[in-house]
Amino acid sequence: MPDTTLVNANIATMKPAGEAYGLIENGAVAITDGKIAWVGPVADLPDAHRYEATEDVEGRLITPALIDCHTHIVAGGNRAREFEMRLNGASYEEIARAGGGIVSTVKATRAASETDLLNAALLRVDQLVGEGVATIEIKSGYGLDTDTELKMLRVARKIAEMRDIRVQTSFLGAHAVPPDYADRADAYIDEVCIPALDAAHKQGLADAVDGFCEGIAFSPDQIERVFKRAAELGIPVKLHAEQLSNLGGAALAARYGALSADHLEYIDEPGVAAMGKAGTIAVLLPGAFYTLRETKMPPIDLFRQYEIGMAVATDCNPGSSPVSSLLLCVNMACTLFRMTPEEALAGVTREAAKALGLLDLGMIGAGMGADIAIWDVEHPSELAYRVGFNPLHRRLFKGVS
Ligand code: DI6
Ligand code: FE
């Protein structure tokens, strides 16, 4: 792999201390063997890196490549008709009776071939890659039977073979109670979810375990049974918690040392405190907030007060967040949640990496992976400020474009 040194860059290293964004003006980044070997002002560049192939980026902004740490990007079908029905006045019940909602995505995902699921997902993945994303998390959860959950996870792995992107999978068997187990959620957990998790683990398909802790999905007790098995298997956990109501899911996740608790509009202060103690990252999903026209904000000030790391992700899914632009989510995190542009950019880099347990990504520093985005902007606030604008100049994945 050729060694390269990028020079004449504004570098948002996203290191937490010091300058805002960890900004280095007129900087250089030296890349060796897919890793960052050195970063600092051009004037201080060591001779060893000065004689490598240098590339003048002409004052452009360099950031860590973006990380989308919460997606359901593998899914069958779409729910555009349902979106349209709702806007034509149909009620939620009417749509459900017409076979809509999450159940319709489960049906379509079960029916889809692996190739069809892959091709549909790649259209969305390519959008993200085109915006400088180099790592995505992908959940199962639209199968709700062992075969389809495994099929989704295999497709997620395949995406990492087909594109220059790193994929972290999450097993989300506890996403919804399938129609064949209506009113028998406990039986679903025991008979389907946990055996499917065991199978996914055995096949090396589950990097993490997720769940949906909500009145319309699973109770904290049911989620805890899944988390216990995850702990036995040595798999880290994360949780959709406090999206529509406060069931204490975030505190439960924190007790299991969760990497992240996600959504969190309805979290209370004890929940935030529990996350703080456990070092659990808050993953904020403004695309779902926007699509559902939610009005309750996640408590950003409490997260700041307890020094909770805040990540931002697309939640790309056919129902509550048909969003495949992470830059749009950065803007929405600022406009809808009042995060600062620096917090929002950290949310799709440094904090997103932590939410996935990938501690050698998300910052530009010696020893970190050389996943790098080069932008046609001068200052990082510009990445949060524009809507529907993609200023990506070039993306390096493991040091190579
Ligand atoms: N929370 C959500 O917003 C999505 N899943 C979840 O647990 C909804 C998924 C869908 O509607 O298809
Ligand atoms: Fe989600």
Side-chain angles (χ1 to χ4, degrees):
M1 209 176 288
D3 296 346
T4 327
T5 301
L6 305 172
V7 297
N8 195 12
N10 283 332
I11 305 170
T13 65
M14 302 316 292
K15 288 196 185 142
E19 293 292 313
Y21 303 94
L23 204 63
I24 298 171
E25 282 174 15
N26 199 8
V29 186
I31 298 163
T32 308
D33 292 334
K35 299 245 179 245
I36 294 166
W38 188 89
V39 60
V42 171
D44 300 344
L45 186 64
D47 282 347
H49 298 300
R50 201 177 287 274
Y51 303 118
E52 287 162 1
T54 58
E55 180 189 329
D56 186 341
V57 301
E58 300 173 331
R60 291 190 176 87
L61 176 73
I62 285 182
T63 69
L66 307 189
I67 298 172
D68 192 352
C69 69
H70 180 141
T71 86
H72 310 249
I73 210 161
V74 173
N78 71 69
R79 310 236 285 273
R81 282 288 295 136
E82 190 179 310
F83 175 72
E84 189 173 48
M85 280 167 75
R86 234 181 305 124
L87 291 169
N88 279 312
S91 72
Y92 188 79
E93 284 73 25
E94 285 168 325
I95 289 166
R97 258 187 276 118
I102 188 166
V103 170
S104 76
T105 300
V106 170
K107 218 188 274 171
T109 306
R110 287 178 178 177
S113 72
E114 236 162 285
T115 307
D116 288 346
L117 283 177
L118 177 65
N119 288 335
L122 285 175
L123 292 175
R124 300 181 282 268
V125 168
D126 287 341
Q127 289 286 325
L128 293 171
V129 168
E131 283 190 337
V133 173
T135 300
I136 56 172
E137 184 260 16
I138 301 178
K139 303 176 194 298
S140 68
Y142 288 124
L144 310 180
D145 61 37
T146 298
D147 285 353
T148 315
E149 289 293 305
L150 296 180
K151 177 171 74 177
M152 290 182 73
L153 294 169
R154 280 194 303 271
V155 170
R157 288 280 190 245
K158 188 84 187 165
I159 287 169
E161 290 171 25
M162 306 278 295
R163 294 293 187 269
D164 284 337
I165 196 160
R166 200 176 280 92
V167 171
Q168 288 289 113
T169 58
S170 297
F171 173 82
L172 179 56
H175 189 200
V177 182
D180 32 324
Y181 277 86
D183 302 318
R184 295 190 297 132
D186 281 304
Y188 171 74
I189 294 287
D190 296 333
E191 294 169 17
V192 180
C193 184
I194 290 176
L197 169 57
D198 289 344
H201 173 66
K202 214 170 180 179
Q203 296 177 28
L205 290 172
D207 299 325
V209 169
D210 196 351
F212 188 19
C213 186
E214 195 56 67
I216 57 165
F218 296 95
S219 69
D221 284 353
Q222 289 159 345
I223 295 292
E224 185 160 13
R225 300 219 301 276
V226 181
F227 279 4
K228 279 197 171 128
R229 179 56 62 99
E232 286 162 13
L233 298 173
I235 310 175
V237 301
K238 44 181 56 238
L239 190 63
H240 289 68
E242 275 72 87
Q243 180 186 7
L244 309 169
S245 63
N246 179 17
L247 297 185
L252 165 68
R255 268 199 283 124
Y256 280 80
L259 290 170
S260 71
D262 303 38
H263 288 288
L264 303 176
E265 280 85 344
Y266 288 82
I267 194 172
D268 57 13
E269 187 160 355
V272 176
M275 287 177 65
K277 265 205 198 116
T280 298
I281 301 292
V283 177
L284 304 172
L285 303 166
F289 179 95
Y290 165 84
T291 301
L292 300 175
R293 307 182 79 219
E294 177 60 68
T295 53
K296 189 161 165 51
M297 295 242 298
I300 303 295
D301 275 335
L302 269 185
F303 294 141
R304 288 176 180 140
Q305 200 181 306
Y306 282 84
E307 298 181 350
I308 309 292
M310 293 185 281
V312 172
T314 61
D315 196 12
C316 178
N317 76 66
S320 66
S321 190
V323 174
S324 33
S325 168
L326 190 55
L327 286 177
L328 176 60
C329 294
V330 167
N331 172 268
M332 285 177 167
C334 298
T335 307
L336 299 176
F337 293 166
R338 316 305 294 169
M339 289 170 73
T340 66
E342 185 181 1
E343 287 171 333
L345 188 58
V348 294
T349 54
R350 182 184 73 229
E351 303 304 324
K354 286 191 216 159
L356 297 178
L358 300 174
L359 301 183
D360 65 341
L361 291 177
M363 286 189 276
I364 297 193
M368 308 290 282
D371 290 2
I372 287 173
I374 308 173
W375 307 93
D376 276 317
V377 305
E378 283 176 23
H379 190 268
S381 60
E382 291 176 61
L383 297 177
Y385 148 75
R386 290 192 191 275
V387 183
F389 182 64
N390 178 5
L392 185 74
H393 174 68
R394 207 148 70 74
R395 191 199 69 149
L396 304 186
F397 178 64
K398 300 181 182 173
V400 180
S401 55

